[in-house]
Amino acid sequence: MTIDLPSELITELRKAKRIAALTGAGISAESKIPTFRDAMTGLWASFSPEELATPEAFARNPGMVWDWYAFRREMCAKAIPNPGHVALAELEKRVEHFTLTTQNVDGLHQRAGSLRVFELHGSIARVKCVDTGRLLDGEIPECDEPPPRHPETGGLLRPDVVWFGEALPVEALMESAQAARNADVFFTVGTSALVYPAAGLPIEAVRAGATVVEINPLETPFTELATFSLRGKSGEILPAIVAALDV
Ligand code: BJW
């Protein structure tokens, strides 16, 4: 399959000293991890986000929230990085400064070989005490009635992810904002651009004068601000971009 890429974009990329990227659930769709907001197949197709991804939801029904994350933790562990993840890892090797910020909790960028990755919404592989925030070291304990408890603190365990209304990890957010402000080229890949503060990063990059490239099969609220809007799957477009740099 041939993908038409704007030649100006390839020229900009060849000149770029600083490249930054923001990814969302769409980049992992081709690894068979459902996105959140797809009306039919998305992770929230039969639940509203407020029922699952808030501290209040966990307080109301910790067992249901735990089970939902346990199901997804297993799915993420079995998933395999796709050519989109691999292409971003390859791009990192080719540029002086590369910063990858992901909203995903699946760890697939690191497994694809990306080295400098900031996880804005945490990681589904880690769990922590809901009362103290202390991370669990080692295996998740078995228990009859989930969630299990932290062996040291005695508090219920929850995933180490960022729910609505919770603060994002400070260092990840600061580094990502700085990378957006300094980028020559900024990619926003596979995100609906609805959830803040992540959705503010490409806007910061535009304001700072970067060339901003959106890769998504669908339009988003960010599309009209993008310098280049590439409609299609990231697992096809990103490898085509990396290949074009070699020509
Ligand atoms: C493809 C594809 C293919 C398909 N290739 N693409 C400013 C304005 C308004 C509201 C706010 C604001 N600032 C903060 C807020 C509130 C809130 C918010 O943004 N609400 C909005 C919904 C309006 N934000 C927060 O609460 C954040 N916290 C915060 O701001 O704290 C302030 C604070 C400060 C100090 C103290 C205390 C508090 C926290 C946000 C946390 C988001 N968490 C989640 C769950 C994580 C855990 C989990 O995984 O379960 O993160 S919600 C969910 O949405 C998840 C995602 O990371 C995030 C973004 O979704 P994403 O990745 O964009 O996925 P989708 O499904 O929406 O889109 C997929 C896209 O892929 C689609 O566009 C497809 O077309 C595309 N696609 N196939 C490329 N093959």
Side-chain angles (χ1 to χ4, degrees), residues 5-245:
L5 297 170
S7 59
E8 306 90 309
L9 169 59
I10 303 305
T11 307
E12 289 297 322
L13 281 169
R14 288 202 178 110
K15 282 193 304 195
K17 295 210 172 349
R18 293 179 179 271
I19 297 181
L22 170 71
T23 63
I27 194 164
S28 295
E30 289 155 87
S31 295
K32 300 196 172 66
I33 299 181
T35 62
F36 290 92
R37 294 178 178 79
D38 184 294
M40 299 306 287
T41 57
L43 285 164
W44 288 335
S46 41
F47 294 96
S48 73
E50 293 71 26
E51 280 178 277
L52 292 164
T54 65
E56 294 76 21
F58 187 79
R60 250 190 334 262
N61 198 340
M64 181 176 84
V65 174
W66 176 268
D67 287 346
W68 191 61
Y69 279 95
F71 162 74
R72 287 177 54 206
R73 188 178 304 115
E74 207 177 312
M75 182 163 61
C76 293
K78 287 184 185 147
I80 297 168
N82 68 59
H85 297 108
V86 174
L88 286 179
E90 181 56 36
L91 205 50
E92 182 175 18
K93 294 186 197 149
R94 294 172 179 235
V95 69
E96 269 177 61
H97 300 278
F98 186 85
T99 301
L100 177 51
T101 298
T102 188
Q103 298 169 84
N104 300 343
V105 298
D106 56 34
L108 288 180
H109 285 302
Q110 293 89 332
R111 285 173 52 202
S114 285
L115 299 175
R116 187 173 155 78
V117 183
F118 293 103
E119 292 178 318
L120 278 189
H121 295 162
S123 165
I124 203 163
R126 296 188 300 262
V127 296
K128 64 183 180 185
C129 169
V130 72
D131 301 321
T132 64
R134 185 153 160 197
L135 288 173
L136 175 73
D137 204 7
E139 295 286 297
I140 295 174
E142 293 286 322
C143 76
D144 293 336
E145 203 180 318
R149 289 184 179 271
H150 195 293
E152 275 103 35
T153 66
L156 292 179
L157 287 169
R158 56 158 282 184
D160 186 25
V161 299
V162 181
W163 284 328
F164 285 114
E166 292 185 322
L168 278 68
V170 175
E171 194 204 342
L173 186 56
M174 291 296 140
E175 292 279 353
S176 302
Q178 195 179 11
R181 285 190 296 268
N182 292 339
D184 300 312
V185 179
F186 187 98
F187 286 94
T188 173
V189 183
T191 175
S192 56
L194 292 171
V195 174
Y196 283 81
L201 294 172
I203 299 174
E204 284 200 50
V206 169
R207 285 197 185 127
T211 295
V212 184
V213 187
E214 181 177 66
I215 301 178
N216 198 311
L218 302 176
E219 282 197 8
T220 75
F222 178 75
T223 302
E224 61 182 31
L225 291 179
T227 323
F228 299 103
S229 202
L230 307 181
R231 294 271 148 264
K233 295 180 175 181
S234 47
E236 294 169 359
I237 294 176
L238 283 168
I241 289 175
V242 172
L245 293 177

